[in-house]
Short mmCIF file of all heavy atoms in Angstrom, two decimals:
data_model
loop_
_atom_site.label_atom_id
_atom_site.label_comp_id
_atom_site.label_asym_id
_atom_site.label_seq_id
_atom_site.Cartn_x
_atom_site.Cartn_y
_atom_site.Cartn_z
N GLN A 9 16.95 6.61 18.17
CA GLN A 9 16.68 5.35 17.49
C GLN A 9 15.22 4.93 17.68
O GLN A 9 14.57 4.46 16.76
CB GLN A 9 17.61 4.25 17.99
CG GLN A 9 19.02 4.39 17.47
CD GLN A 9 19.94 3.35 18.07
OE1 GLN A 9 19.72 2.83 19.15
NE2 GLN A 9 21.03 3.05 17.34
N GLU A 10 14.71 5.10 18.91
CA GLU A 10 13.31 4.74 19.18
C GLU A 10 12.38 5.63 18.36
O GLU A 10 11.37 5.17 17.82
CB GLU A 10 13.02 4.87 20.68
CG GLU A 10 11.59 4.47 21.05
CD GLU A 10 11.24 3.03 20.67
OE1 GLU A 10 12.14 2.17 20.69
OE2 GLU A 10 10.07 2.78 20.36
N ALA A 11 12.71 6.91 18.27
CA ALA A 11 11.89 7.82 17.46
C ALA A 11 11.88 7.37 15.99
O ALA A 11 10.83 7.35 15.34
CB ALA A 11 12.42 9.26 17.59
N TRP A 12 13.04 6.99 15.49
CA TRP A 12 13.11 6.53 14.09
C TRP A 12 12.35 5.21 13.89
O TRP A 12 11.68 5.03 12.86
CB TRP A 12 14.55 6.37 13.62
CG TRP A 12 15.13 7.68 13.19
CD1 TRP A 12 16.11 8.39 13.79
CD2 TRP A 12 14.74 8.45 12.03
NE1 TRP A 12 16.36 9.56 13.11
CE2 TRP A 12 15.53 9.62 12.02
CE3 TRP A 12 13.78 8.27 11.05
CZ2 TRP A 12 15.40 10.58 11.05
CZ3 TRP A 12 13.67 9.23 10.06
CH2 TRP A 12 14.46 10.38 10.07
N ARG A 13 12.40 4.34 14.88
CA ARG A 13 11.62 3.09 14.79
C ARG A 13 10.13 3.39 14.71
O ARG A 13 9.39 2.78 13.94
CB ARG A 13 11.93 2.16 15.96
CG ARG A 13 13.20 1.36 15.81
CD ARG A 13 13.31 0.26 16.84
NE ARG A 13 13.57 0.75 18.19
CZ ARG A 13 14.78 1.03 18.68
NH1 ARG A 13 15.86 0.85 17.92
NH2 ARG A 13 14.92 1.47 19.91
N THR A 14 9.69 4.35 15.54
CA THR A 14 8.28 4.74 15.54
C THR A 14 7.88 5.34 14.20
O THR A 14 6.84 4.98 13.63
CB THR A 14 8.01 5.76 16.66
OG1 THR A 14 8.40 5.17 17.92
CG2 THR A 14 6.56 6.15 16.73
N VAL A 15 8.70 6.25 13.71
CA VAL A 15 8.42 6.89 12.41
C VAL A 15 8.39 5.83 11.31
O VAL A 15 7.49 5.80 10.46
CB VAL A 15 9.46 7.98 12.09
CG1 VAL A 15 9.38 8.44 10.65
CG2 VAL A 15 9.28 9.17 13.04
N ASN A 16 9.38 4.97 11.29
CA ASN A 16 9.45 3.92 10.27
C ASN A 16 8.23 2.99 10.35
O ASN A 16 7.69 2.58 9.31
CB ASN A 16 10.73 3.10 10.38
CG ASN A 16 11.95 3.89 9.93
OD1 ASN A 16 11.82 4.84 9.17
ND2 ASN A 16 13.10 3.54 10.43
N ALA A 17 7.80 2.65 11.58
CA ALA A 17 6.62 1.80 11.74
C ALA A 17 5.38 2.49 11.19
O ALA A 17 4.54 1.86 10.54
CB ALA A 17 6.43 1.43 13.21
N MET A 18 5.25 3.80 11.46
CA MET A 18 4.09 4.54 10.93
C MET A 18 4.08 4.53 9.42
O MET A 18 3.06 4.28 8.79
CB MET A 18 4.11 5.99 11.45
CG MET A 18 3.73 6.13 12.89
SD MET A 18 3.80 7.82 13.56
CE MET A 18 4.05 8.89 12.18
N PHE A 19 5.23 4.80 8.83
CA PHE A 19 5.29 4.82 7.37
C PHE A 19 5.14 3.43 6.78
O PHE A 19 4.59 3.28 5.69
CB PHE A 19 6.61 5.48 6.90
CG PHE A 19 6.55 6.99 7.01
CD1 PHE A 19 7.40 7.64 7.90
CD2 PHE A 19 5.67 7.72 6.25
CE1 PHE A 19 7.35 9.02 7.99
CE2 PHE A 19 5.62 9.10 6.35
CZ PHE A 19 6.47 9.75 7.23
N GLU A 20 5.60 2.42 7.49
CA GLU A 20 5.45 1.07 7.00
C GLU A 20 3.97 0.70 6.92
O GLU A 20 3.52 0.11 5.93
CB GLU A 20 6.19 0.09 7.91
CG GLU A 20 6.15 -1.35 7.43
CD GLU A 20 6.92 -2.28 8.34
OE1 GLU A 20 7.86 -1.83 9.01
OE2 GLU A 20 6.55 -3.47 8.38
N ASP A 21 3.21 1.08 7.95
CA ASP A 21 1.76 0.82 7.95
C ASP A 21 1.08 1.55 6.79
O ASP A 21 0.25 0.97 6.09
CB ASP A 21 1.13 1.23 9.26
CG ASP A 21 1.51 0.31 10.41
OD1 ASP A 21 2.02 -0.81 10.14
OD2 ASP A 21 1.33 0.72 11.58
N LYS A 22 1.45 2.82 6.60
CA LYS A 22 0.87 3.58 5.50
C LYS A 22 1.28 3.01 4.16
O LYS A 22 0.46 2.92 3.24
CB LYS A 22 1.28 5.06 5.58
CG LYS A 22 0.58 5.80 6.68
CD LYS A 22 0.87 7.28 6.64
CE LYS A 22 0.19 7.92 7.81
NZ LYS A 22 -0.54 9.11 7.47
N GLU A 23 2.53 2.58 4.04
CA GLU A 23 3.01 2.00 2.80
C GLU A 23 2.22 0.73 2.48
O GLU A 23 1.79 0.54 1.34
CB GLU A 23 4.49 1.68 2.90
CG GLU A 23 5.06 1.12 1.61
CD GLU A 23 6.54 0.77 1.71
OE1 GLU A 23 7.03 0.51 2.84
OE2 GLU A 23 7.19 0.76 0.66
N LYS A 24 2.02 -0.11 3.49
CA LYS A 24 1.24 -1.34 3.27
C LYS A 24 -0.19 -1.01 2.84
O LYS A 24 -0.74 -1.63 1.92
CB LYS A 24 1.19 -2.18 4.57
CG LYS A 24 2.49 -2.89 4.86
CD LYS A 24 2.38 -3.70 6.14
CE LYS A 24 3.70 -4.35 6.49
NZ LYS A 24 3.63 -5.08 7.77
N LYS A 25 -0.78 -0.01 3.49
CA LYS A 25 -2.13 0.41 3.14
C LYS A 25 -2.20 0.89 1.70
O LYS A 25 -3.09 0.49 0.92
CB LYS A 25 -2.57 1.54 4.08
CG LYS A 25 -3.91 2.14 3.77
CD LYS A 25 -4.18 3.32 4.71
CE LYS A 25 -5.35 4.13 4.23
NZ LYS A 25 -5.54 5.34 5.02
N TYR A 26 -1.24 1.72 1.29
CA TYR A 26 -1.24 2.25 -0.07
C TYR A 26 -0.91 1.17 -1.09
O TYR A 26 -1.48 1.16 -2.19
CB TYR A 26 -0.28 3.44 -0.20
CG TYR A 26 -0.76 4.65 0.56
CD1 TYR A 26 0.10 5.35 1.39
CD2 TYR A 26 -2.07 5.10 0.46
CE1 TYR A 26 -0.34 6.46 2.09
CE2 TYR A 26 -2.52 6.20 1.17
CZ TYR A 26 -1.64 6.89 1.99
OH TYR A 26 -2.08 7.97 2.67
N LEU A 27 -0.03 0.26 -0.75
CA LEU A 27 0.29 -0.83 -1.67
C LEU A 27 -0.91 -1.73 -1.86
O LEU A 27 -1.16 -2.20 -2.98
CB LEU A 27 1.49 -1.62 -1.17
CG LEU A 27 2.86 -0.94 -1.30
CD1 LEU A 27 3.94 -1.79 -0.63
CD2 LEU A 27 3.20 -0.66 -2.73
N LYS A 28 -1.66 -1.97 -0.79
CA LYS A 28 -2.87 -2.79 -0.89
C LYS A 28 -3.91 -2.09 -1.76
O LYS A 28 -4.51 -2.72 -2.64
CB LYS A 28 -3.45 -3.04 0.51
CG LYS A 28 -4.67 -3.91 0.50
CD LYS A 28 -5.19 -4.18 1.90
CE LYS A 28 -6.43 -5.03 1.86
NZ LYS A 28 -6.99 -5.25 3.20
N ALA A 29 -4.08 -0.79 -1.56
CA ALA A 29 -5.04 -0.03 -2.37
C ALA A 29 -4.59 -0.01 -3.84
O ALA A 29 -5.43 -0.15 -4.74
CB ALA A 29 -5.17 1.40 -1.85
N LEU A 30 -3.31 0.13 -4.06
CA LEU A 30 -2.78 0.11 -5.41
C LEU A 30 -3.01 -1.24 -6.08
O LEU A 30 -3.43 -1.30 -7.25
CB LEU A 30 -1.28 0.43 -5.38
CG LEU A 30 -0.57 0.54 -6.73
CD1 LEU A 30 -1.12 1.68 -7.55
CD2 LEU A 30 0.93 0.73 -6.49
N GLU A 31 -2.79 -2.30 -5.35
CA GLU A 31 -3.01 -3.65 -5.89
C GLU A 31 -4.49 -3.87 -6.23
O GLU A 31 -4.84 -4.43 -7.26
CB GLU A 31 -2.52 -4.71 -4.91
CG GLU A 31 -2.68 -6.12 -5.39
CD GLU A 31 -1.90 -6.46 -6.64
OE1 GLU A 31 -0.91 -5.76 -6.96
OE2 GLU A 31 -2.26 -7.43 -7.33
N GLU A 32 -5.38 -3.40 -5.35
CA GLU A 32 -6.82 -3.51 -5.60
C GLU A 32 -7.21 -2.74 -6.84
O GLU A 32 -8.00 -3.21 -7.67
CB GLU A 32 -7.61 -3.05 -4.40
CG GLU A 32 -7.52 -3.99 -3.20
CD GLU A 32 -8.18 -3.44 -1.95
OE1 GLU A 32 -8.73 -2.32 -1.98
OE2 GLU A 32 -8.12 -4.13 -0.92
N SER A 33 -6.66 -1.54 -6.99
CA SER A 33 -6.96 -0.72 -8.17
C SER A 33 -6.43 -1.40 -9.44
O SER A 33 -7.10 -1.39 -10.47
CB SER A 33 -6.31 0.66 -8.04
OG SER A 33 -6.88 1.39 -7.00
N ARG A 34 -5.25 -2.01 -9.35
CA ARG A 34 -4.69 -2.71 -10.49
C ARG A 34 -5.59 -3.86 -10.90
O ARG A 34 -5.87 -4.08 -12.09
CB ARG A 34 -3.28 -3.20 -10.18
CG ARG A 34 -2.55 -3.79 -11.39
CD ARG A 34 -1.32 -4.59 -11.03
NE ARG A 34 -1.61 -5.76 -10.22
CZ ARG A 34 -2.17 -6.90 -10.68
NH1 ARG A 34 -2.49 -7.01 -11.95
NH2 ARG A 34 -2.38 -7.92 -9.89
N LYS A 35 -6.09 -4.61 -9.91
CA LYS A 35 -6.97 -5.73 -10.20
C LYS A 35 -8.26 -5.25 -10.84
O LYS A 35 -8.77 -5.87 -11.80
CB LYS A 35 -7.28 -6.51 -8.91
CG LYS A 35 -6.15 -7.38 -8.45
CD LYS A 35 -6.50 -8.13 -7.18
CE LYS A 35 -5.33 -8.95 -6.67
NZ LYS A 35 -5.67 -9.65 -5.41
N GLU A 36 -8.82 -4.14 -10.32
CA GLU A 36 -10.05 -3.59 -10.90
C GLU A 36 -9.83 -3.16 -12.35
O GLU A 36 -10.67 -3.40 -13.21
CB GLU A 36 -10.54 -2.40 -10.07
CG GLU A 36 -11.09 -2.79 -8.72
CD GLU A 36 -11.41 -1.58 -7.86
OE1 GLU A 36 -11.32 -0.43 -8.35
OE2 GLU A 36 -11.75 -1.79 -6.68
N LEU A 37 -8.67 -2.55 -12.61
CA LEU A 37 -8.36 -2.14 -13.98
C LEU A 37 -8.22 -3.33 -14.91
O LEU A 37 -8.66 -3.30 -16.04
CB LEU A 37 -7.08 -1.28 -14.00
CG LEU A 37 -7.22 0.13 -13.49
CD1 LEU A 37 -5.84 0.80 -13.40
CD2 LEU A 37 -8.14 0.94 -14.38
N GLU A 38 -7.59 -4.39 -14.42
CA GLU A 38 -7.41 -5.60 -15.21
C GLU A 38 -8.80 -6.21 -15.53
O GLU A 38 -9.03 -6.64 -16.66
CB GLU A 38 -6.55 -6.64 -14.48
CG GLU A 38 -5.07 -6.29 -14.48
CD GLU A 38 -4.47 -6.33 -15.86
OE1 GLU A 38 -4.80 -7.20 -16.68
OE2 GLU A 38 -3.60 -5.45 -16.13
N GLU A 39 -9.68 -6.24 -14.53
CA GLU A 39 -11.02 -6.77 -14.76
C GLU A 39 -11.80 -5.91 -15.75
O GLU A 39 -12.48 -6.42 -16.64
CB GLU A 39 -11.78 -6.86 -13.43
CG GLU A 39 -11.24 -7.94 -12.51
CD GLU A 39 -11.87 -7.91 -11.13
OE1 GLU A 39 -12.81 -7.12 -10.90
OE2 GLU A 39 -11.41 -8.67 -10.26
N GLU A 40 -11.66 -4.59 -15.63
CA GLU A 40 -12.34 -3.67 -16.56
C GLU A 40 -11.78 -3.84 -17.96
O GLU A 40 -12.53 -3.84 -18.94
CB GLU A 40 -12.16 -2.23 -16.08
CG GLU A 40 -12.90 -1.22 -16.92
CD GLU A 40 -14.40 -1.39 -16.91
OE1 GLU A 40 -14.94 -1.84 -15.87
OE2 GLU A 40 -15.02 -1.09 -17.93
N LYS A 41 -10.47 -4.01 -18.08
CA LYS A 41 -9.86 -4.25 -19.39
C LYS A 41 -10.38 -5.53 -19.99
O LYS A 41 -10.70 -5.57 -21.17
CB LYS A 41 -8.34 -4.30 -19.23
CG LYS A 41 -7.59 -4.54 -20.52
CD LYS A 41 -6.09 -4.63 -20.28
CE LYS A 41 -5.35 -4.98 -21.56
NZ LYS A 41 -3.91 -5.14 -21.34
N LYS A 42 -10.48 -6.57 -19.16
CA LYS A 42 -10.99 -7.86 -19.67
C LYS A 42 -12.44 -7.72 -20.14
O LYS A 42 -12.80 -8.22 -21.20
CB LYS A 42 -10.90 -8.91 -18.55
CG LYS A 42 -11.29 -10.28 -18.98
CD LYS A 42 -11.11 -11.28 -17.84
CE LYS A 42 -11.57 -12.67 -18.24
NZ LYS A 42 -11.43 -13.63 -17.16
N ARG A 43 -13.27 -6.99 -19.34
CA ARG A 43 -14.66 -6.77 -19.76
C ARG A 43 -14.73 -6.00 -21.07
O ARG A 43 -15.55 -6.30 -21.95
CB ARG A 43 -15.43 -6.05 -18.66
CG ARG A 43 -15.82 -6.93 -17.49
CD ARG A 43 -16.81 -6.25 -16.56
NE ARG A 43 -16.25 -5.07 -15.91
CZ ARG A 43 -15.62 -5.06 -14.76
NH1 ARG A 43 -15.44 -6.20 -14.10
NH2 ARG A 43 -15.18 -3.94 -14.25
#
């Protein structure tokens, strides 16, 4: 269970990182579309 908690925490951090990058890219695309 501890191993799974560690693995899940690692993936959760990566998921947050990728979701943040995805959101930033989406915002950039929206701004480019507006321009």
Side-chain angles (χ1 to χ4, degrees):
Q9 286 175 335
E10 182 58 33
W12 277 112
R13 279 192 288 275
T14 302
V15 168
N16 288 337
M18 286 178 10
F19 283 114
E20 183 179 333
D21 290 343
K22 287 187 182 227
E23 182 181 25
K24 286 179 183 178
K25 176 184 167 187
Y26 292 132
L27 287 175
K28 182 178 178 182
L30 183 63
E31 181 62 21
E32 289 173 1
S33 294
R34 188 194 63 74
K35 285 180 182 178
E36 289 173 6
L37 285 173
E38 285 295 322
E39 290 172 6
E40 184 63 31
K41 180 181 176 183
K42 185 178 178 182
R43 284 191 295 270

